[in-house]
Amino acid sequence: ETVEREAKRIADIVERLMKLGERPAEEGTAMEFDLDALLDVAVQTGAAARAERRVEVEHRRCPRKATVLGTAADLRRAFVNLIENAVEASAGLEDARVEIDSELVEEVVRVAIRDRGRGIAPEHLERVFDPFFTTKESWHGKGLGLSDAQRIVAAHGGEIGLESEPGKGTTVRVTLPLVQKATMLA
């Protein structure tokens, strides 16, 4: 059982590593979708596991619809990775909570994912998006979540960054362009 489980884990790591080098999806597969609806799905993806860890996740939506253009499955995977990292950093804390805020600012939507976990040491901040880099005490993950999320966000014309303070938590900020609607003047 152990050999089979570890072989599957290795296969998953190799598959995700190969995806790091993939080109972004072809233009024909991009669709318009509401980013807040996608974030709701990403939050629900790990709800059962979070309940066991006793981490509450709150998503505060934009007052207006935040429509972006892209591959929803890829962006959902990126946000699931980011949310799971925040949940893991918060697990075991009193009042464990992850807050997700989305807001419209000019022609972009900004998403902030905040945890009150252990934070990241300043000397590690430069490397957090490197494949296989992890600050976790036990290396049960793959070290690919942040690098995968960064690749996906960049492929959608966006940016990702983070701020962290040891002992106080981490905030990951994702900025994506809104779909621009053409108007016709009479």
Side-chain angles (χ1 to χ4, degrees):
E1 282 181 29
T2 302
V3 170
E4 188 175 319
R5 183 179 63 246
E6 291 303 308
K8 286 179 181 178
R9 189 175 77 82
I10 290 169
D12 183 48
I13 291 170
V14 169
E15 180 182 336
R16 294 198 51 204
L17 183 59
M18 289 173 59
K19 285 183 179 182
L20 286 175
E22 286 179 2
R23 292 189 342 225
E26 297 298 319
E27 287 181 28
T29 61
M31 299 174 51
E32 291 183 15
F33 56 90
D34 177 16
L35 187 62
D36 275 322
L38 180 133
L39 287 168
D40 287 340
V41 172
V43 166
Q44 290 305 312
T45 298
R50 277 195 308 277
E52 288 179 20
R53 292 175 167 175
R54 298 177 190 203
V55 178
E56 183 181 332
V57 176
E58 180 182 2
H59 173 211
R60 293 184 289 259
R61 302 169 62 98
C62 291
R64 291 183 298 130
K65 191 172 181 180
T67 305
V68 298
L69 178 67
T71 308
D74 287 345
L75 278 173
R76 182 176 55 247
R77 185 173 77 238
F79 282 110
V80 166
N81 285 338
L82 297 173
I83 293 166
E84 180 56 31
N85 281 351
V87 166
E88 190 168 320
S90 301
L93 299 175
E94 225 177 280
D95 190 32
R97 166 183 212 81
V98 173
E99 298 170 345
I100 304 167
D101 291 298
S102 51
E103 67 174 333
L104 298 175
V105 180
E106 296 179 15
E107 297 174 358
V108 299
V109 59
R110 291 186 186 151
V111 178
I113 301 170
R114 288 181 203 82
D115 68 63
R116 296 180 195 135
R118 58 186 150 73
I120 301 168
E123 63 269 17
H124 295 170
L125 286 175
E126 296 178 4
R127 299 194 53 215
V128 294
F129 292 107
D130 292 349
F132 298 111
F133 180 79
T134 185
T135 61
K136 296 172 183 159
E137 289 152 13
S138 71
W139 204 75
H140 67 276
K142 299 157 195 79
L144 294 172
L146 285 176
S147 60
D148 191 36
Q150 183 182 44
R151 179 189 66 81
I152 291 168
V153 169
H156 286 80
E159 296 177 353
I160 186 171
L162 62 84
E163 300 154 8
S164 188
E165 189 175 337
K168 298 208 176 190
T170 301
T171 300
V172 177
R173 298 186 191 285
V174 175
T175 304
L176 292 165
L178 291 170
V179 170
Q180 301 301 311
K181 301 289 184 188
T183 58
M184 189 174 209
L185 298 175

